[in-house]
Amino acid sequence: MISNSQCDSGISFVGCGSSTPQKIINNDQLGQRVDTNNEWIQSRTGISERRVIGDNESLIDLATDAALKAIRMANWDVKTIDLIILATSTPEDLFGSAPKIQSNLEASNAVAFDLTAACSGFLFALVTASQYLISGSMKRVVVIGADQLSKWVDWDDRKTCVLFGDGAGAVAIETSGEKNGLIGYDMKSDGSKGGCLNLSQANTFLDLVQGATHQKGEYLPIKMEGKEVYKFAVKEVPIILGELLDKYKIDSESIDWLLLHQANQRILDAVASRFSIPSEKVLSNLKDYGNTSAATIPLMLDEAVRGQRIKSGDLVACSGFGAGLSWGAALFYWHGPY
Ligand code: COA
């Protein structure tokens, strides 16, 4: 566990972007494949449709597009970017997909790497990026959250397939002398409960040479104990957010926007009600995209910024949570141009 920490030197959130696949699959269409229906999915999750990467698109394309939009909003020269972190659990290359994005962006002075923490990935990547900025070793970072869970969902398992979708989002953050955008953060893991939600390797062993086997590189579809994950989220997210608000002496009434990982509308509503945050301040685009894992937070942020809901100077209370189990929270001010 990394304990929460005050950020003394300034970090400014100056750009965001997002990108989603063209193909939309609605609840009725899923009902043609598994025994489910629009009414059940909407009432239990808030999801109406999700996007799925098709054969003319790729995760790297979406991530590149999202990053480019964030860089343009920030008005940066790509050569001034020091670091690109891609939060993903579904890379196109297990050795890492971030360098390909760096090359697509022609950000030749940036180092690029992947970070895996499932649906907490974007938040963990943001905190990781902030350490380079706080230490003064870097000045400009692009943090991307992008996932293609459609590759790993069992589309015949109605308990999971209705929840997930594909997408990408990104933020551009930089050191700032005057404004400190990141007030504070906290991150946690509990691997003992990892079995509640995983995308684990298949234990297939093949003969290698006489007397030796090797493990085949192969993964099983996503497995989830929905109720356990739900209970974990509605318990831990209010705790971690509440501790942060207490630590920085911020009243929940001062929060302009509650920006949670978009997993289930009922989780969003339960967390909001714990802090008496009115629904107008709770950001949600679940109905359009479902749970896009590491992408949900920057995708939602981008939509709210470009839709002129989040404005410069607004305080955002953010929390990511998911497989690992892992969870985290951050309080930040948006300082972008919109
Ligand atoms: N369509 C129709 N019926 C469904 C269904 C579907 N897609 N999925 C499950 N059901 C059925 C179940 O089989 C069960 O039927 P039964 O009572 O005859 O056994 C019934 O609906 C209730 O299932 P249950 O699992 O208790 O529903 P739930 O209210 O817990 O909702 C989730 C299920 C998955 C929506 C909910 O548990 C959830 O959102 N959990 C968190 C998951 C999550 O966010 N994961 C990602 C975290 S990053």
Side-chain angles (χ1 to χ4, degrees):
M1 172 185 147
I2 297 178
S3 61
N4 43 355
S5 149
Q6 174 96 42
C7 305
D8 294 323
S9 48
I11 292 172
S12 202
F13 288 72
V14 290
C16 59
S18 63
S19 190
T20 54
Q22 287 168 6
K23 192 77 203 158
I24 299 172
I25 310 285
N26 67 31
N27 291 345
D28 288 333
Q29 288 172 292
L30 280 187
Q32 292 160 20
R33 183 172 174 123
V34 288
D35 182 13
T36 189
N37 57 72
N38 183 45
E39 202 284 323
W40 192 97
I41 303 171
Q42 274 198 5
S43 62
R44 301 287 178 120
T45 70
I47 299 165
S48 299
E49 55 191 40
R50 69 286 297 143
R51 305 273 178 124
V52 171
I53 290 176
D55 52 15
N56 58 346
E57 299 167 309
S58 77
L59 186 76
I60 286 178
D61 290 345
L62 295 185
T64 302
D65 188 36
L68 202 54
K69 287 171 179 161
I71 293 163
R72 286 198 184 123
M73 188 189 283
N75 205 15
W76 288 353
D77 174 347
V78 287
K79 300 286 185 261
T80 64
I81 299 167
D82 299 308
L83 171 66
I84 297 166
I85 305 182
L86 171 66
T88 188
S89 304
T90 54
E92 290 183 19
D93 184 331
L94 278 181
F95 289 157
S97 288
K100 180 70 180 133
I101 297 166
Q102 180 250 18
S103 141
N104 288 350
L105 294 170
E106 299 181 12
S108 49
N109 295 314
V111 63
F113 60 83
D114 291 15
L115 181 153
T116 302
C119 299
S120 307
F122 176 78
L123 197 125
F124 283 19
L126 184 67
V127 173
T128 302
S130 75
Q131 307 308 303
Y132 293 96
L133 299 178
I134 293 165
S135 72
S137 67
M138 291 183 179
K139 288 190 164 44
R140 289 184 162 170
V141 184
V142 177
V143 181
I144 307 166
D147 264 308
Q148 186 179 359
L149 289 186
S150 64
K151 272 198 297 195
W152 299 106
V153 161
D154 175 354
W155 287 103
D156 294 316
D157 174 10
R158 70 175 184 173
K159 291 189 171 177
T160 52
C161 77
V162 299
L163 300 175
F164 300 108
D166 303 336
V171 294
I173 55 174
E174 64 183 4
T175 49
S176 158
E178 61 229 51
K179 306 167 188 158
N180 182 19
L182 185 59
I183 299 167
Y185 58 82
D186 198 2
M187 305 190 288
K188 298 195 183 207
S189 300
D190 182 359
S192 72
K193 300 205 178 91
C196 292
L197 178 55
N198 54 28
L199 198 179
S200 61
Q201 64 178 358
N203 283 322
T204 308
F205 285 85
L206 302 176
D207 289 336
L208 175 60
V209 292
Q210 198 170 13
T213 59
H214 77 97
Q215 188 166 11
K216 187 168 187 292
E218 196 178 16
Y219 289 84
L220 298 172
I222 293 170
K223 265 197 349 219
M224 184 182 73
E225 290 172 34
K227 271 203 191 313
E228 291 310 308
V229 177
Y230 185 91
K231 283 191 274 181
F232 144 73
V234 297
K235 175 172 175 248
E236 297 296 349
V237 174
I239 292 174
I240 199 166
L241 257 182
E243 285 173 353
L244 263 191
L245 291 170
D246 287 350
K247 177 165 183 179
Y248 297 105
K249 299 187 174 32
I250 294 173
D251 196 297
S252 60
E253 282 177 15
S254 315
I255 295 171
D256 293 305
W257 301 104
L258 183 65
L259 173 52
L260 302 182
H261 167 53
Q262 308 279 299
N264 184 318
Q265 188 62 42
R266 291 187 293 144
I267 296 176
L268 271 54
D269 295 343
V271 175
S273 92
R274 291 283 288 275
F275 295 102
S276 304
I277 296 175
S279 58
E280 314 86 74
K281 292 182 169 187
V282 181
L283 294 169
S284 174
N285 61 5
L286 259 168
K287 71 174 176 34
D288 299 325
Y289 303 111
N291 178 347
T292 55
S293 194
T296 66
I297 291 173
L299 180 56
M300 184 66 253
L301 177 75
D302 185 50
E303 198 174 290
V305 166
R306 288 177 197 269
Q308 311 210 329
R309 297 181 72 196
I310 297 184
K311 304 226 170 51
S312 190
D314 280 359
L315 174 61
V316 180
C318 180
S319 177
F321 53 90
L325 295 177
S326 60
W327 64 108
L331 298 171
F332 66 86
Y333 290 106
W334 169 254
H335 283 137
Y338 280 68

